Short mmCIF file of all heavy atoms in Angstrom, two decimals:
data_model
loop_
_atom_site.label_atom_id
_atom_site.label_comp_id
_atom_site.label_asym_id
_atom_site.label_seq_id
_atom_site.Cartn_x
_atom_site.Cartn_y
_atom_site.Cartn_z
N ASN A 1 13.89 19.45 -17.96
CA ASN A 1 12.57 18.86 -18.29
C ASN A 1 12.04 18.15 -17.07
O ASN A 1 12.77 17.36 -16.44
CB ASN A 1 12.72 17.91 -19.49
CG ASN A 1 13.08 18.60 -20.77
OD1 ASN A 1 12.71 19.78 -20.98
ND2 ASN A 1 13.82 17.93 -21.63
N VAL A 2 10.78 18.35 -16.81
CA VAL A 2 10.15 17.73 -15.64
C VAL A 2 9.63 16.34 -16.04
O VAL A 2 8.84 16.22 -16.98
CB VAL A 2 8.99 18.59 -15.11
CG1 VAL A 2 8.34 17.92 -13.88
CG2 VAL A 2 9.49 19.97 -14.79
N PRO A 3 10.06 15.30 -15.33
CA PRO A 3 9.58 13.94 -15.66
C PRO A 3 8.11 13.81 -15.31
O PRO A 3 7.51 14.57 -14.59
CB PRO A 3 10.47 13.03 -14.81
CG PRO A 3 10.89 13.91 -13.64
CD PRO A 3 11.00 15.28 -14.20
N GLU A 4 7.51 12.69 -15.79
CA GLU A 4 6.11 12.44 -15.50
C GLU A 4 5.94 12.07 -14.01
O GLU A 4 6.78 11.42 -13.41
CB GLU A 4 5.61 11.26 -16.36
CG GLU A 4 5.56 11.60 -17.88
CD GLU A 4 4.96 10.43 -18.65
OE1 GLU A 4 4.69 9.37 -18.06
OE2 GLU A 4 4.83 10.59 -19.89
N LEU A 5 4.80 12.52 -13.48
CA LEU A 5 4.56 12.32 -12.05
C LEU A 5 4.53 10.84 -11.69
O LEU A 5 5.17 10.43 -10.71
CB LEU A 5 3.19 12.95 -11.69
CG LEU A 5 2.68 12.69 -10.28
CD1 LEU A 5 3.65 13.16 -9.22
CD2 LEU A 5 1.30 13.31 -10.07
N GLN A 6 3.82 10.04 -12.45
CA GLN A 6 3.67 8.60 -12.10
C GLN A 6 5.02 7.90 -12.18
O GLN A 6 5.30 7.00 -11.40
CB GLN A 6 2.67 7.91 -13.03
CG GLN A 6 2.24 6.56 -12.53
CD GLN A 6 1.61 6.61 -11.14
OE1 GLN A 6 0.78 7.48 -10.84
NE2 GLN A 6 1.97 5.66 -10.28
N SER A 7 5.88 8.34 -13.10
CA SER A 7 7.22 7.74 -13.23
C SER A 7 8.05 8.04 -12.01
O SER A 7 8.75 7.14 -11.50
CB SER A 7 7.90 8.29 -14.51
OG SER A 7 9.24 7.84 -14.55
N VAL A 8 7.99 9.27 -11.51
CA VAL A 8 8.74 9.65 -10.34
C VAL A 8 8.25 8.87 -9.13
O VAL A 8 9.05 8.33 -8.33
CB VAL A 8 8.64 11.15 -10.07
CG1 VAL A 8 9.35 11.57 -8.79
CG2 VAL A 8 9.19 11.96 -11.26
N TYR A 9 6.96 8.77 -8.98
CA TYR A 9 6.38 8.05 -7.82
C TYR A 9 6.74 6.56 -7.85
O TYR A 9 7.10 5.98 -6.83
CB TYR A 9 4.86 8.19 -7.77
CG TYR A 9 4.24 7.39 -6.67
CD1 TYR A 9 4.39 7.74 -5.34
CD2 TYR A 9 3.49 6.24 -6.98
CE1 TYR A 9 3.85 7.00 -4.33
CE2 TYR A 9 2.95 5.49 -5.96
CZ TYR A 9 3.13 5.87 -4.65
OH TYR A 9 2.58 5.11 -3.63
N SER A 10 6.64 5.96 -9.01
CA SER A 10 6.96 4.53 -9.13
C SER A 10 8.42 4.25 -8.73
O SER A 10 8.67 3.24 -8.05
CB SER A 10 6.74 4.04 -10.59
OG SER A 10 5.37 4.18 -10.94
N GLU A 11 9.34 5.13 -9.15
CA GLU A 11 10.72 4.93 -8.76
C GLU A 11 10.92 5.18 -7.26
O GLU A 11 11.66 4.46 -6.62
CB GLU A 11 11.62 5.88 -9.57
CG GLU A 11 11.66 5.52 -11.06
CD GLU A 11 12.46 6.52 -11.87
OE1 GLU A 11 12.59 7.69 -11.44
OE2 GLU A 11 12.92 6.15 -12.95
N ALA A 12 10.21 6.20 -6.74
CA ALA A 12 10.37 6.51 -5.32
C ALA A 12 9.84 5.39 -4.43
O ALA A 12 10.49 5.04 -3.44
CB ALA A 12 9.64 7.85 -5.00
N VAL A 13 8.68 4.85 -4.77
CA VAL A 13 8.08 3.81 -3.90
C VAL A 13 8.91 2.53 -3.97
O VAL A 13 8.84 1.69 -3.04
CB VAL A 13 6.62 3.56 -4.35
CG1 VAL A 13 6.55 2.66 -5.56
CG2 VAL A 13 5.82 2.97 -3.21
N ALA A 14 9.71 2.38 -4.99
CA ALA A 14 10.54 1.16 -5.14
C ALA A 14 11.88 1.28 -4.38
O ALA A 14 12.41 0.26 -3.95
CB ALA A 14 10.79 0.87 -6.60
N ILE A 15 12.40 2.50 -4.19
CA ILE A 15 13.74 2.63 -3.66
C ILE A 15 13.82 3.32 -2.31
O ILE A 15 14.81 3.10 -1.60
CB ILE A 15 14.66 3.41 -4.66
CG1 ILE A 15 14.13 4.86 -4.83
CG2 ILE A 15 14.74 2.71 -6.00
CD1 ILE A 15 15.03 5.73 -5.66
N LEU A 16 12.86 4.10 -1.94
CA LEU A 16 13.00 4.86 -0.69
C LEU A 16 12.96 3.95 0.53
O LEU A 16 12.07 3.05 0.64
CB LEU A 16 11.90 5.92 -0.58
CG LEU A 16 12.09 7.16 -1.50
CD1 LEU A 16 11.04 8.19 -1.22
CD2 LEU A 16 13.47 7.73 -1.35
N PRO A 17 13.87 4.11 1.49
CA PRO A 17 13.97 3.21 2.63
C PRO A 17 12.74 3.22 3.52
O PRO A 17 12.43 2.19 4.13
CB PRO A 17 15.20 3.69 3.35
CG PRO A 17 15.41 5.11 2.91
CD PRO A 17 14.90 5.15 1.49
N GLU A 18 12.04 4.37 3.67
CA GLU A 18 10.90 4.37 4.55
C GLU A 18 9.79 3.43 4.08
O GLU A 18 9.05 2.84 4.87
CB GLU A 18 10.37 5.78 4.76
CG GLU A 18 10.02 6.53 3.48
CD GLU A 18 11.15 7.43 3.05
OE1 GLU A 18 12.31 6.98 3.11
OE2 GLU A 18 10.89 8.57 2.61
N ILE A 19 9.65 3.30 2.74
CA ILE A 19 8.64 2.37 2.21
C ILE A 19 9.08 0.93 2.44
O ILE A 19 8.32 0.07 2.91
CB ILE A 19 8.41 2.65 0.71
CG1 ILE A 19 7.91 4.10 0.49
CG2 ILE A 19 7.42 1.66 0.15
CD1 ILE A 19 6.62 4.43 1.16
N ASN A 20 10.33 0.65 2.10
CA ASN A 20 10.86 -0.70 2.28
C ASN A 20 10.88 -1.09 3.76
O ASN A 20 10.70 -2.25 4.10
CB ASN A 20 12.24 -0.83 1.66
CG ASN A 20 12.20 -0.77 0.13
OD1 ASN A 20 11.26 -1.32 -0.47
ND2 ASN A 20 13.15 -0.12 -0.47
N ALA A 21 11.13 -0.11 4.64
CA ALA A 21 11.13 -0.40 6.08
C ALA A 21 9.72 -0.78 6.53
O ALA A 21 9.54 -1.67 7.37
CB ALA A 21 11.60 0.82 6.85
N SER A 22 8.70 -0.11 5.98
CA SER A 22 7.32 -0.47 6.34
C SER A 22 6.93 -1.85 5.80
O SER A 22 6.22 -2.61 6.45
CB SER A 22 6.35 0.60 5.77
OG SER A 22 6.50 1.84 6.43
N LYS A 23 7.46 -2.18 4.59
CA LYS A 23 7.20 -3.54 4.07
C LYS A 23 7.87 -4.58 4.96
O LYS A 23 7.27 -5.63 5.25
CB LYS A 23 7.75 -3.64 2.65
CG LYS A 23 6.98 -2.81 1.61
CD LYS A 23 7.62 -2.92 0.26
CE LYS A 23 6.85 -2.08 -0.78
NZ LYS A 23 7.49 -2.15 -2.14
N THR A 24 9.07 -4.28 5.40
CA THR A 24 9.78 -5.19 6.30
C THR A 24 9.06 -5.31 7.63
O THR A 24 9.03 -6.41 8.26
CB THR A 24 11.22 -4.72 6.53
OG1 THR A 24 11.90 -4.56 5.28
CG2 THR A 24 12.00 -5.71 7.37
N ASN A 25 8.45 -4.23 8.05
CA ASN A 25 7.71 -4.25 9.33
C ASN A 25 6.53 -5.24 9.29
O ASN A 25 6.19 -5.88 10.28
CB ASN A 25 7.20 -2.87 9.70
CG ASN A 25 6.69 -2.76 11.08
OD1 ASN A 25 7.30 -3.25 12.04
ND2 ASN A 25 5.54 -2.14 11.25
N VAL A 26 5.92 -5.37 8.09
CA VAL A 26 4.84 -6.37 7.93
C VAL A 26 5.41 -7.77 8.12
O VAL A 26 4.81 -8.63 8.80
CB VAL A 26 4.18 -6.20 6.54
CG1 VAL A 26 3.15 -7.31 6.32
CG2 VAL A 26 3.53 -4.85 6.40
N GLN A 27 6.59 -8.03 7.55
CA GLN A 27 7.21 -9.32 7.69
C GLN A 27 7.63 -9.60 9.12
O GLN A 27 7.49 -10.73 9.63
CB GLN A 27 8.44 -9.40 6.76
CG GLN A 27 8.11 -9.29 5.29
CD GLN A 27 9.36 -9.24 4.43
OE1 GLN A 27 10.22 -8.42 4.62
NE2 GLN A 27 9.45 -10.16 3.48
N VAL A 28 8.11 -8.58 9.82
CA VAL A 28 8.44 -8.72 11.24
C VAL A 28 7.21 -9.11 12.04
O VAL A 28 7.27 -10.00 12.91
CB VAL A 28 9.07 -7.41 11.78
CG1 VAL A 28 9.21 -7.47 13.30
CG2 VAL A 28 10.44 -7.16 11.15
N SER A 29 6.10 -8.48 11.73
CA SER A 29 4.86 -8.80 12.45
C SER A 29 4.34 -10.19 12.12
O SER A 29 3.82 -10.88 12.99
CB SER A 29 3.77 -7.75 12.09
OG SER A 29 4.17 -6.45 12.45
N GLU A 30 4.57 -10.66 10.93
CA GLU A 30 4.21 -12.01 10.52
C GLU A 30 5.04 -13.04 11.29
O GLU A 30 4.50 -14.08 11.69
CB GLU A 30 4.34 -12.19 9.01
CG GLU A 30 3.29 -11.43 8.23
CD GLU A 30 3.56 -11.44 6.73
OE1 GLU A 30 4.70 -11.79 6.32
OE2 GLU A 30 2.68 -11.09 5.96
N LYS A 31 6.30 -12.76 11.45
CA LYS A 31 7.17 -13.67 12.26
C LYS A 31 6.74 -13.67 13.71
O LYS A 31 6.82 -14.70 14.39
CB LYS A 31 8.63 -13.27 12.15
CG LYS A 31 9.26 -13.71 10.85
CD LYS A 31 9.17 -15.21 10.72
CE LYS A 31 9.51 -15.68 9.31
NZ LYS A 31 9.19 -17.11 9.10
N ALA A 32 6.29 -12.52 14.23
CA ALA A 32 5.78 -12.45 15.60
C ALA A 32 4.55 -13.38 15.76
O ALA A 32 4.38 -13.99 16.81
CB ALA A 32 5.45 -11.02 15.98
N LEU A 33 3.75 -13.47 14.70
CA LEU A 33 2.60 -14.37 14.76
C LEU A 33 3.06 -15.81 14.80
O LEU A 33 2.50 -16.64 15.58
CB LEU A 33 1.70 -14.14 13.55
CG LEU A 33 0.51 -15.04 13.41
CD1 LEU A 33 -0.42 -14.93 14.59
CD2 LEU A 33 -0.23 -14.79 12.08
N ASP A 34 4.06 -16.16 14.01
CA ASP A 34 4.59 -17.54 14.02
C ASP A 34 5.15 -17.88 15.41
O ASP A 34 4.99 -19.00 15.92
CB ASP A 34 5.68 -17.70 13.00
CG ASP A 34 5.16 -17.60 11.56
OD1 ASP A 34 3.94 -17.85 11.37
OD2 ASP A 34 5.91 -17.26 10.64
N ILE A 35 5.84 -16.91 16.01
CA ILE A 35 6.39 -17.13 17.35
C ILE A 35 5.28 -17.35 18.35
O ILE A 35 5.35 -18.23 19.22
CB ILE A 35 7.27 -15.93 17.75
CG1 ILE A 35 8.52 -15.84 16.89
CG2 ILE A 35 7.67 -16.04 19.21
CD1 ILE A 35 9.32 -14.57 17.04
N ALA A 36 4.21 -16.56 18.26
CA ALA A 36 3.11 -16.67 19.19
C ALA A 36 2.41 -18.03 19.02
O ALA A 36 2.05 -18.69 20.03
CB ALA A 36 2.12 -15.55 19.00
N LYS A 37 2.25 -18.50 17.81
CA LYS A 37 1.61 -19.80 17.58
C LYS A 37 2.46 -20.96 18.14
O LYS A 37 1.94 -22.01 18.48
CB LYS A 37 1.36 -20.01 16.08
CG LYS A 37 0.24 -19.15 15.51
CD LYS A 37 0.07 -19.42 14.02
CE LYS A 37 -1.09 -18.60 13.46
NZ LYS A 37 -1.26 -18.83 12.01
N GLY A 38 3.76 -20.74 18.21
CA GLY A 38 4.64 -21.76 18.76
C GLY A 38 4.34 -22.06 20.22
O GLY A 38 4.75 -23.10 20.75
N GLY A 39 3.64 -21.11 20.87
CA GLY A 39 3.27 -21.31 22.30
C GLY A 39 2.29 -22.47 22.51
O GLY A 39 2.13 -22.95 23.60
N TYR A 40 1.62 -22.90 21.39
CA TYR A 40 0.68 -24.01 21.48
C TYR A 40 1.38 -25.37 21.48
O TYR A 40 0.81 -26.38 21.85
CB TYR A 40 -0.31 -24.01 20.33
CG TYR A 40 -1.34 -22.93 20.39
CD1 TYR A 40 -1.49 -21.98 19.36
CD2 TYR A 40 -2.22 -22.81 21.48
CE1 TYR A 40 -2.43 -20.99 19.39
CE2 TYR A 40 -3.16 -21.81 21.52
CZ TYR A 40 -3.30 -20.91 20.49
OH TYR A 40 -4.26 -19.95 20.53
N LEU A 41 2.67 -25.39 21.07
CA LEU A 41 3.38 -26.67 20.86
C LEU A 41 4.27 -26.98 22.09
O LEU A 41 4.65 -26.08 22.84
CB LEU A 41 4.27 -26.55 19.60
CG LEU A 41 3.49 -26.25 18.30
CD1 LEU A 41 4.45 -26.09 17.15
CD2 LEU A 41 2.48 -27.36 17.99
N PRO A 42 4.60 -28.27 22.27
CA PRO A 42 5.43 -28.66 23.41
C PRO A 42 6.88 -28.23 23.25
O PRO A 42 7.32 -27.92 22.14
CB PRO A 42 5.30 -30.19 23.41
CG PRO A 42 5.00 -30.58 22.03
CD PRO A 42 4.18 -29.45 21.47
N THR A 43 7.59 -28.23 24.36
CA THR A 43 9.03 -27.92 24.38
C THR A 43 9.77 -29.13 24.86
O THR A 43 9.48 -29.71 25.90
CB THR A 43 9.30 -26.75 25.32
OG1 THR A 43 8.61 -25.58 24.87
CG2 THR A 43 10.80 -26.42 25.38
N LEU A 44 10.79 -29.53 24.08
CA LEU A 44 11.63 -30.69 24.42
C LEU A 44 13.04 -30.19 24.70
O LEU A 44 13.64 -29.51 23.85
CB LEU A 44 11.64 -31.70 23.26
CG LEU A 44 12.50 -32.96 23.49
CD1 LEU A 44 11.98 -33.77 24.65
CD2 LEU A 44 12.55 -33.78 22.20
N SER A 45 13.57 -30.54 25.87
CA SER A 45 14.92 -30.11 26.27
C SER A 45 15.74 -31.30 26.67
O SER A 45 15.25 -32.30 27.20
CB SER A 45 14.83 -29.10 27.45
OG SER A 45 14.04 -27.98 27.08
#
């Protein structure tokens, strides 16, 4: 029996690594922004 299309897609988008890797890439880019903003602040050594 062939499952429903939307059911298959919902499961795929939740588990496939390429989708989760792209979501993680957004988080990586957000951290890069935080790092860049740190350049406005002083450094104490």
